[in-house]
Amino acid sequence: MDIPHDSVLLRIFIGESDKWHHQPLYEAIVLKAREQHLAGATVVRGAMGFGKSSRMHTSKILRLSMDLPLVIEIVDTEEKINAFLPSLDEMIGGGLVTLEKVRVLHYRGAPPPATP
């Protein structure tokens, strides 16, 4: 799959405990992105953060470590990202979603391993 050099980065900030139909929300988002043939998705777990409510989420406090911040990043064409947004809007109750233009410098899979 080729991604044009001028693409869009979709960044989604949610909590680790967020759910969608009894499934972790981050999993549901990544699976939906795959279903819609987006170029790829990465989930990053944050060690510490806070959102609109100013409630601190940190791995240092045991009782709060169950809801650490997550960031999901997806890069693809503007058209494909825009087509994905209605699905995302349906799934996310609370969180932050951002879009920014990015320039893709390199996007290709690793070469297949050599066979003896």
Side-chain angles (χ1 to χ4, degrees):
M1 169 188 280
D2 285 331
I3 296 181
H5 289 292
D6 295 319
S7 297
V8 172
L9 168 62
L10 171 63
R11 193 175 282 139
I12 306 154
F13 298 83
I14 58 173
E16 189 174 33
S17 67
D18 293 343
K19 302 279 187 213
W20 169 252
H21 295 285
H22 309 291
Q23 175 183 27
L25 178 58
Y26 68 92
E27 284 183 13
I29 291 170
V30 169
L31 292 173
K32 180 59 83 172
R34 186 170 183 237
E35 177 184 303
Q36 292 189 11
H37 305 287
L38 295 178
T42 300
V43 179
V44 180
R45 187 179 194 210
M48 187 175 193
F50 69 92
K52 186 173 179 165
S53 69
S54 293
R55 188 170 56 111
M56 189 62 65
H57 301 268
T58 176
S59 59
K60 290 183 177 185
I61 302 171
L62 184 59
R63 67 180 174 84
L64 294 179
S65 66
M66 301 297 285
D67 191 24
L68 291 173
L70 296 178
V71 179
I72 305 164
E73 294 188 332
I74 302 170
V75 176
D76 210 315
T77 64
E78 187 170 5
E79 295 77 24
K80 289 182 86 173
I81 294 292
N82 285 338
F84 181 67
L85 291 178
S87 297
L88 190 61
D89 189 44
E90 183 181 325
M91 299 168 90
I92 294 182
L96 174 67
V97 177
T98 65
L99 286 173
E100 59 187 90
K101 297 216 181 257
V102 294
R103 182 153 175 84
V104 174
L105 300 178
H106 179 87
Y107 181 71
R108 57 192 119 144
T115 54

